[in-house]
Amino acid sequence: MSASPLGKALDRVDGRDKVTGRARYAADFAAPGLLHGWVVNAGIPRGRILGIDSREAEAAPGVQLVLTHANRPPIASYDEPYEDADAADGSPFRPLFNDRILYDSQPVALVVAETLEQARHAARLVRVEYQAEPYQTDLLAALDDAHLAPASLPEPRGDCAGALAGAALRIEGQYSSPIEHHNPMEPHAATVVMQPDGALLVYDKTQGTQNSQQYIERVFGLEPGRVRVMAPFVGGAFGSGLRPQYQLVLAVMAALKLRRSVRVTLTRQQMFSFGYRPRTVQRLALGAAANGELRALRHEAVAQTSRFEDFTEHVVEWSGMLYQCDNVELGYRLAPLDVYTPLDMRAPGATLGVFALECAMDELAAAVAIDPLQLRLVNYAERNQNEGKPFSSKALRECYAQGAERFGWAARDHQPRSMREGRELIGWGLATGVWEAMQNPASARALIDGDGHLHVSSATTDIGTGTYTVMTQIAAASLALDMAQVTFSLGDSHLPKAPLQGGSFTVSSVGSAVQQACIALQDELLKAAVAMEDSPFAGLARDQVEFVDGQLRVIGAPELALGYGEIVRASGGAALEAEVEAKPDEKREAYSSATHSAVFVEVRVDEELGVVRVARVVSAIAAGRVVNPKTARSQILGGVVWGIGMALQEETQTDHGLGRHMNHNLAEYHIPVHADIGEVEVIFVEEEDRVVNALGSKGVGEIGIVGVAAAVANAIWHATGKRIRDLPITPDKLL
């Protein structure tokens, strides 16, 4: 019997297509007579368009159209805008809606020409006259204008104020984080192919083909079925593709107006003209007994949002669940600015909130004079106090133990500035990570053909996480087939329904649907086999047969067997199939489910230059069953690298005098490169969870980044004795 591929570190089934260039992305698809669009962006952060002079651009060679708010096609839902699946409270931004300028670099026109070069040249000839209005883009200047976020925060528990006042030890601090932009390798693009009957075939950079499809249908008033959205490959997204971005709307507008196929691709600079991780200011107060036991915790955050939407994420809730504490008060406010709405970015909310919490816990450990790891064990939470529920599984203690052993944490001298090598100060820091383990309804179809080949499909996407591969593994294991006998299709809005790919819930959601569809297909195979003439399975029930090595067999009589293809051919049809919608099991409701991690970091700081080098990272992850340790490890590695960048480099800098981002490129927007990253070791801690879903999987996409920035900051304190609470920790803050 062939071994199950579940849990095996297998190569990506799409890897060869990617490295040989056969994989095609949103801007790679051609169409006869394809036109190219170039976006013209606003030059002020707030005001009104007085006029757009496009005459010179329209006269330029190859130009077919200069699209503005004055000549756009009629749009069905612009007066009552349709909210996409990842929408925030408020009114979504509507490209080319009217003459209002809501933020800097807002799209104000689209130049469409025969070639990309012609469109780019003509876009420079468009003249826009503005009436500027007063604006504010600085969160720190708008803190007093902040209002309560539309978030369902846990109710305060206990008497936080009284417990803080009576605590033997008290730690208070303000922590801040900057704007960050996603910057996936593939820029956002949409290729809209006009079909002969007027239907639209759209290739979009998206994390949800059906979300983009429904958005187009609603916004443009198109009949269901007239739009098909494809995203067979996505070159990274990190959350930037959760909502339909403006390149999609503009490309569809131009295609409908011209009745031609149109492609719009954003430049790297334009990738800074929509969603981002919001800037935050957080205040944390911890009250503790002399031994470090938490007596009170108050966590308040203020984040920026746009004036037209209230973007809300889970920033402070983690502080109410990660450690045992009976007196907790959480607060979250939003400050509206003249900016675009923020957008979910890898581990949204947790990346920010856990940074503040874990730095504060490190400060408490220093005040108590206790090992930071021991402090976390003293305050270990066996239940999620926010929900009053036990965890479906929680192997965080094992993460601490295995990570500490691999890192050599026991040799740490607790005094800051106590470890040195040459001109470098050495520091060791740690932090805890947490992320909710979610599952959403999802559907999948499983079809077996006359050759015994299994075809499984769902409308989900693969943003580089390895979805093609893990779904193939799940399907192969469910029907006892070799991987080569399975083909998984995704990235097509016409396939069975799937949620957005994000939140680390794709394996839990779509993987459960794939597993259940294959199990349902087993029943179809058995029915067909029983109905065969002179069937060896006549009268046998489901528990009397087994599915092994591509065959249906009688248990205890392996000589009585039929191959799947043989059964299909005998049934008289081309294939047998089953489609299933998988939903979270009701037994989940009694539990809280989460992934956890322990991150250990060694930094080396040049005392004279203030330059920080991350020499070692050990990340121990408890995420239930890991379907593919190889692709999962890559996810954690990517999260660790991003966490290092968040700690030391990453920051979108805004000139508040102009209301404009200054470093909107990859030369000045600093992110880590290979030379910045030292040794990174990933440990997957064994964790069995029979509640979260039948696969026992919790997902790993988000947890890899959570806690990393805090661990780096804590290591820097240990190395230098300087507590930096303002990210990123650049050399000027250390000197």
Side-chain angles (χ1 to χ4, degrees), residues 102-379:
L102 304 178
Y103 70 98
D104 182 74
S105 295
Q106 170 183 321
V108 295
L110 179 73
V111 178
V112 183
E114 296 288 346
T115 69
L116 181 65
E117 292 77 13
Q118 289 171 336
R120 179 176 59 189
H121 168 70
R124 297 174 180 171
L125 305 178
V126 176
R127 305 287 178 255
V128 185
E129 184 182 357
Y130 304 101
Q131 179 182 317
E133 297 175 3
Y135 55 87
Q136 181 57 264
T137 59
D138 187 356
L139 173 64
L140 299 184
L143 294 177
D144 293 339
D145 299 325
H147 59 264
L148 289 177
S152 300
L153 294 181
E155 291 293 323
R157 61 178 182 258
D159 177 12
C160 186
L164 275 173
L169 292 168
R170 184 167 172 167
I171 297 294
E172 288 190 83
Q174 178 172 298
Y175 305 84
S176 64
S177 60
I179 292 173
E180 297 176 34
H181 276 84
H182 302 74
N183 281 308
M185 188 180 298
E186 178 199 13
H188 278 264
T191 302
V192 179
V193 181
M194 181 66 67
Q195 302 296 292
D197 62 353
L200 301 180
L201 174 61
V202 181
Y203 298 95
D204 188 36
K205 164 66 174 275
T206 179
Q207 289 172 250
T209 57
Q210 291 171 331
N211 188 35
S212 291
Q213 175 203 25
Q214 293 162 15
Y215 183 83
I216 294 169
E217 289 174 349
R218 297 283 187 89
V219 167
F220 292 95
L222 301 175
E223 294 179 8
R226 301 287 290 169
V227 177
R228 184 178 187 178
V229 176
M230 307 281 285
F233 291 94
V234 180
F238 314 118
S240 67
L242 289 172
R243 303 188 69 174
Q245 302 301 350
Y246 65 75
Q247 89 285 340
L248 174 63
V249 181
L250 296 181
V252 173
M253 272 188 193
L256 291 175
K257 189 170 181 69
L258 293 170
R259 312 303 295 177
R260 296 272 303 272
S261 298
V262 177
R263 173 183 298 151
V264 176
T265 304
L266 301 186
T267 65
R268 182 57 60 183
Q269 288 74 23
Q270 288 166 340
M271 293 289 289
F272 286 77
S273 63
F274 50 90
Y276 50 89
R277 199 190 298 280
R279 187 181 183 187
T280 63
V281 175
Q282 303 179 58
R283 289 199 61 83
L284 253 153
L286 303 179
N291 67 349
E293 286 186 10
L294 286 172
R295 295 288 185 260
L297 189 156
R298 178 184 293 135
H299 190 173
E300 299 171 326
V302 182
Q304 73 177 63
T305 190
S306 67
R307 295 202 188 276
F308 47 91
E309 287 180 298
D310 278 347
F311 173 76
T312 306
E313 54 187 358
H314 298 290
V315 177
V316 297
E317 290 94 320
W318 316 100
S319 292
M321 68 176 283
L322 195 49
Y323 299 109
Q324 172 69 31
C325 186
D326 295 330
N327 302 286
V328 174
E329 193 175 292
L330 307 174
Y332 180 31
R333 294 182 298 146
L334 299 175
L337 300 171
D338 297 299
V339 295
Y340 193 82
T341 307
L343 181 61
D344 288 338
M345 181 184 282
R346 196 170 197 166
T351 303
L352 303 172
V354 172
F355 162 72
L357 173 65
E358 288 301 285
C359 287
M361 287 292 286
D362 203 67
E363 295 186 44
L364 178 60
V368 178
I370 188 176
D371 184 296
L373 177 54
Q374 182 60 31
L375 178 71
R376 285 160 173 82
L377 293 172
V378 165
N379 292 288

Side-chain angles (χ1 to χ4, degrees), residues 397-420:
R397 290 186 192 275
E398 291 78 5
C399 290
Y400 289 141
Q402 294 182 30
E405 181 181 4
R406 197 72 59 89
F407 188 82
W409 183 261
R412 180 181 187 265
D413 188 321
H414 301 322
Q415 290 299 315
R417 301 181 65 86
S418 59
M419 301 165 66
R420 177 190 292 271

Side-chain angles (χ1 to χ4, degrees), residues 407 424-429 599-606 611-618 640-649 672-681 708-709 711-716 729:
F407 188 82
E424 289 184 319
L425 296 168
I426 300 173
W428 290 3
V599 186
F600 298 81
V601 168
E602 176 184 310
V603 300
R604 292 172 176 253
V605 183
D606 188 308
V611 174
V612 179
R613 182 166 59 91
V614 177
R616 289 192 299 138
V617 178
V618 172
V640 167
V641 170
W642 196 339
I644 293 170
M646 176 184 175
L648 302 177
Q649 298 177 334
V673 296
H674 285 297
D676 296 313
I677 305 301
E679 178 186 344
V680 180
E681 186 169 0
V708 177
V712 173
N714 294 338
I716 289 173
I729 304 174

